[in-house]
Amino acid sequence: MHKDIGKILITEKELDEVTARIAAEIDRDYADGKKLVLVCILKGSLMFMSDLMKKITVPLEIDCMRVSSYGCGTTSSGAINIILDLIRPDLAECDLLIIEDIIDSGSTLSYLTRYLVNKGARSVRTCTLLDKPSRRKVQFVPDYVGIEIPDEFVVGYGLDYAENYRALPYVGVLKPEIYSE
Ligand code: IMP
Ligand code: MG
């Protein structure tokens, strides 16, 4: 285990099981007549999406967006900025599935869903690996959820603290002394 990690919250085996379960749900829901486009929200969802897409068997395309809502600490700034937009001429025929690493306040996904619906996508649904329902500031219910977790700041499997720890293969909780603030 990495020296800065106090405990592992979700093991590699559990992540493998969770991604397989979500992939099966997506396979069931996008079986016919859909043009499924997975939209990876960079950078946190990179590892989750790459594992998930290997397990989905229905045809799919991929795309990426990048937004900023956090500074480099552990608290949200609230405002959402689109840094990399989704530009597709065929958007009106696309069934978008936004792939997110974690929902905290709910602002990122509720903003993005509204944004992509208004932009003209045929359908927009959301999938998150982790959910902290106790932290909601904006009412938002994702369509696919991996695991609900308590109010702890987690890193690994794509998730960062000040851009570090994204490459860890598990989701862990940082030791309190790592938070310098
Ligand atoms: P929301 O807009 O407050 O729901 O925040 C969602 C974003 O905050 C995620 O995409 C993450 O980038 C970041 N975030 C929220 N909680 C955590 C955490 O525990 N670890 C790492 N990033 C987090
Ligand atoms: Mg982040």
PDB file of all heavy atoms in Angstrom, residues 42-44 69-71 101-102 153 158-160 163 166, ligand 2:
ATOM      1  N   LEU A  42     -12.782  14.005 -17.963  1.00  0.00           N
ATOM      2  CA  LEU A  42     -11.354  13.993 -17.626  1.00  0.00           C
ATOM      3  C   LEU A  42     -11.088  14.826 -16.380  1.00  0.00           C
ATOM      4  O   LEU A  42     -11.808  15.788 -16.142  1.00  0.00           O
ATOM      5  CB  LEU A  42     -10.547  14.581 -18.794  1.00  0.00           C
ATOM      6  CG  LEU A  42     -10.655  13.791 -20.116  1.00  0.00           C
ATOM      7  CD1 LEU A  42      -9.997  14.574 -21.254  1.00  0.00           C
ATOM      8  CD2 LEU A  42     -10.024  12.424 -19.975  1.00  0.00           C
ATOM      9  N   LYS A  43     -10.065  14.511 -15.595  1.00  0.00           N
ATOM     10  CA  LYS A  43      -9.211  13.357 -15.821  1.00  0.00           C
ATOM     11  C   LYS A  43      -9.614  12.198 -14.918  1.00  0.00           C
ATOM     12  O   LYS A  43      -9.187  11.060 -15.113  1.00  0.00           O
ATOM     13  CB  LYS A  43      -7.748  13.725 -15.501  1.00  0.00           C
ATOM     14  CG  LYS A  43      -7.234  14.931 -16.237  1.00  0.00           C
ATOM     15  CD  LYS A  43      -5.851  15.312 -15.697  1.00  0.00           C
ATOM     16  CE  LYS A  43      -5.662  16.782 -15.672  1.00  0.00           C
ATOM     17  NZ  LYS A  43      -4.455  17.198 -14.954  1.00  0.00           N
ATOM     18  N   GLY A  44     -10.427  12.498 -13.917  1.00  0.00           N
ATOM     19  CA  GLY A  44     -10.728  11.516 -12.860  1.00  0.00           C
ATOM     20  C   GLY A  44     -11.373  10.222 -13.324  1.00  0.00           C
ATOM     21  O   GLY A  44     -11.210   9.191 -12.667  1.00  0.00           O
ATOM     22  N   SER A  69     -14.161  22.070 -11.441  1.00  0.00           N
ATOM     23  CA  SER A  69     -15.042  22.522 -10.373  1.00  0.00           C
ATOM     24  C   SER A  69     -14.256  22.641  -9.092  1.00  0.00           C
ATOM     25  O   SER A  69     -14.636  23.342  -8.183  1.00  0.00           O
ATOM     26  CB  SER A  69     -16.207  21.559 -10.175  1.00  0.00           C
ATOM     27  OG  SER A  69     -15.723  20.294  -9.799  1.00  0.00           O
ATOM     28  N   TYR A  70     -13.112  21.962  -9.054  1.00  0.00           N
ATOM     29  CA  TYR A  70     -12.302  21.947  -7.837  1.00  0.00           C
ATOM     30  C   TYR A  70     -11.002  22.717  -8.040  1.00  0.00           C
ATOM     31  O   TYR A  70     -10.469  22.719  -9.135  1.00  0.00           O
ATOM     32  CB  TYR A  70     -11.958  20.496  -7.461  1.00  0.00           C
ATOM     33  CG  TYR A  70     -12.964  19.887  -6.539  1.00  0.00           C
ATOM     34  CD1 TYR A  70     -14.278  19.702  -6.939  1.00  0.00           C
ATOM     35  CD2 TYR A  70     -12.613  19.509  -5.251  1.00  0.00           C
ATOM     36  CE1 TYR A  70     -15.214  19.152  -6.101  1.00  0.00           C
ATOM     37  CE2 TYR A  70     -13.540  18.964  -4.398  1.00  0.00           C
ATOM     38  CZ  TYR A  70     -14.844  18.782  -4.832  1.00  0.00           C
ATOM     39  OH  TYR A  70     -15.762  18.245  -3.989  1.00  0.00           O
ATOM     40  N   GLY A  71     -10.498  23.306  -6.986  1.00  0.00           N
ATOM     41  CA  GLY A  71      -9.152  23.863  -6.987  1.00  0.00           C
ATOM     42  C   GLY A  71      -8.219  22.696  -6.769  1.00  0.00           C
ATOM     43  O   GLY A  71      -8.453  21.603  -7.261  1.00  0.00           O
ATOM     44  N   ASP A 101     -16.244  10.037 -12.135  1.00  0.00           N
ATOM     45  CA  ASP A 101     -15.574   9.270 -11.078  1.00  0.00           C
ATOM     46  C   ASP A 101     -16.355   9.291  -9.769  1.00  0.00           C
ATOM     47  O   ASP A 101     -16.516   8.270  -9.115  1.00  0.00           O
ATOM     48  CB  ASP A 101     -14.126   9.773 -10.869  1.00  0.00           C
ATOM     49  CG  ASP A 101     -14.035  11.284 -10.642  1.00  0.00           C
ATOM     50  OD1 ASP A 101     -15.065  11.990 -10.697  1.00  0.00           O
ATOM     51  OD2 ASP A 101     -12.906  11.781 -10.432  1.00  0.00           O
ATOM     52  N   ILE A 102     -16.867  10.483  -9.399  1.00  0.00           N
ATOM     53  CA  ILE A 102     -17.499  10.607  -8.093  1.00  0.00           C
ATOM     54  C   ILE A 102     -18.485  11.775  -8.100  1.00  0.00           C
ATOM     55  O   ILE A 102     -18.252  12.774  -8.780  1.00  0.00           O
ATOM     56  CB  ILE A 102     -16.412  10.799  -6.996  1.00  0.00           C
ATOM     57  CG1 ILE A 102     -17.007  10.769  -5.584  1.00  0.00           C
ATOM     58  CG2 ILE A 102     -15.589  12.052  -7.199  1.00  0.00           C
ATOM     59  CD1 ILE A 102     -15.942  10.577  -4.493  1.00  0.00           C
ATOM     60  N   PHE A 153     -12.593  11.986   1.928  1.00  0.00           N
ATOM     61  CA  PHE A 153     -11.928  12.340   0.679  1.00  0.00           C
ATOM     62  C   PHE A 153     -11.092  11.153   0.214  1.00  0.00           C
ATOM     63  O   PHE A 153     -10.207  10.689   0.919  1.00  0.00           O
ATOM     64  CB  PHE A 153     -11.062  13.591   0.839  1.00  0.00           C
ATOM     65  CG  PHE A 153     -10.653  14.158  -0.490  1.00  0.00           C
ATOM     66  CD1 PHE A 153     -11.532  14.955  -1.212  1.00  0.00           C
ATOM     67  CD2 PHE A 153      -9.420  13.856  -1.032  1.00  0.00           C
ATOM     68  CE1 PHE A 153     -11.180  15.453  -2.463  1.00  0.00           C
ATOM     69  CE2 PHE A 153      -9.048  14.362  -2.278  1.00  0.00           C
ATOM     70  CZ  PHE A 153      -9.931  15.163  -2.982  1.00  0.00           C
ATOM     71  N   GLY A 158      -7.859   6.841 -10.597  1.00  0.00           N
ATOM     72  CA  GLY A 158      -8.213   8.044 -11.358  1.00  0.00           C
ATOM     73  C   GLY A 158      -8.406   9.286 -10.505  1.00  0.00           C
ATOM     74  O   GLY A 158      -8.189  10.400 -10.966  1.00  0.00           O
ATOM     75  N   LEU A 159      -8.840   9.096  -9.258  1.00  0.00           N
ATOM     76  CA  LEU A 159      -9.124  10.261  -8.407  1.00  0.00           C
ATOM     77  C   LEU A 159      -7.847  10.813  -7.778  1.00  0.00           C
ATOM     78  O   LEU A 159      -6.955  10.060  -7.395  1.00  0.00           O
ATOM     79  CB  LEU A 159     -10.113   9.885  -7.302  1.00  0.00           C
ATOM     80  CG  LEU A 159     -11.516   9.548  -7.802  1.00  0.00           C
ATOM     81  CD1 LEU A 159     -11.812   8.085  -7.601  1.00  0.00           C
ATOM     82  CD2 LEU A 159     -12.544  10.418  -7.113  1.00  0.00           C
ATOM     83  N   ASP A 160      -7.818  12.154  -7.659  1.00  0.00           N
ATOM     84  CA  ASP A 160      -6.586  12.786  -7.211  1.00  0.00           C
ATOM     85  C   ASP A 160      -6.772  13.623  -5.954  1.00  0.00           C
ATOM     86  O   ASP A 160      -7.878  14.024  -5.599  1.00  0.00           O
ATOM     87  CB  ASP A 160      -6.065  13.723  -8.302  1.00  0.00           C
ATOM     88  CG  ASP A 160      -6.938  14.978  -8.440  1.00  0.00           C
ATOM     89  OD1 ASP A 160      -8.158  14.834  -8.662  1.00  0.00           O
ATOM     90  OD2 ASP A 160      -6.409  16.097  -8.302  1.00  0.00           O
ATOM     91  N   GLU A 163      -3.627  16.528  -7.930  1.00  0.00           N
ATOM     92  CA  GLU A 163      -3.106  15.815  -9.109  1.00  0.00           C
ATOM     93  C   GLU A 163      -2.282  14.569  -8.782  1.00  0.00           C
ATOM     94  O   GLU A 163      -1.779  13.905  -9.691  1.00  0.00           O
ATOM     95  CB  GLU A 163      -2.294  16.751 -10.034  1.00  0.00           C
ATOM     96  CG  GLU A 163      -3.144  17.838 -10.693  1.00  0.00           C
ATOM     97  CD  GLU A 163      -4.250  17.279 -11.597  1.00  0.00           C
ATOM     98  OE1 GLU A 163      -4.053  16.226 -12.211  1.00  0.00           O
ATOM     99  OE2 GLU A 163      -5.323  17.916 -11.666  1.00  0.00           O
ATOM    100  N   ARG A 166      -3.480   9.423  -8.775  1.00  0.00           N
ATOM    101  CA  ARG A 166      -4.442   8.928  -9.760  1.00  0.00           C
ATOM    102  C   ARG A 166      -4.132   7.505 -10.225  1.00  0.00           C
ATOM    103  O   ARG A 166      -5.025   6.769 -10.627  1.00  0.00           O
ATOM    104  CB  ARG A 166      -4.456   9.836 -11.002  1.00  0.00           C
ATOM    105  CG  ARG A 166      -5.040  11.220 -10.763  1.00  0.00           C
ATOM    106  CD  ARG A 166      -5.285  11.886 -12.120  1.00  0.00           C
ATOM    107  NE  ARG A 166      -5.480  13.322 -12.044  1.00  0.00           N
ATOM    108  CZ  ARG A 166      -6.650  13.919 -11.806  1.00  0.00           C
ATOM    109  NH1 ARG A 166      -7.720  13.200 -11.584  1.00  0.00           N
ATOM    110  NH2 ARG A 166      -6.746  15.227 -11.772  1.00  0.00           N
TER     111      ARG A 166
HETATM  112 MG    MG B   2     -10.871  15.845  -9.540  1.00  0.00          MG
END
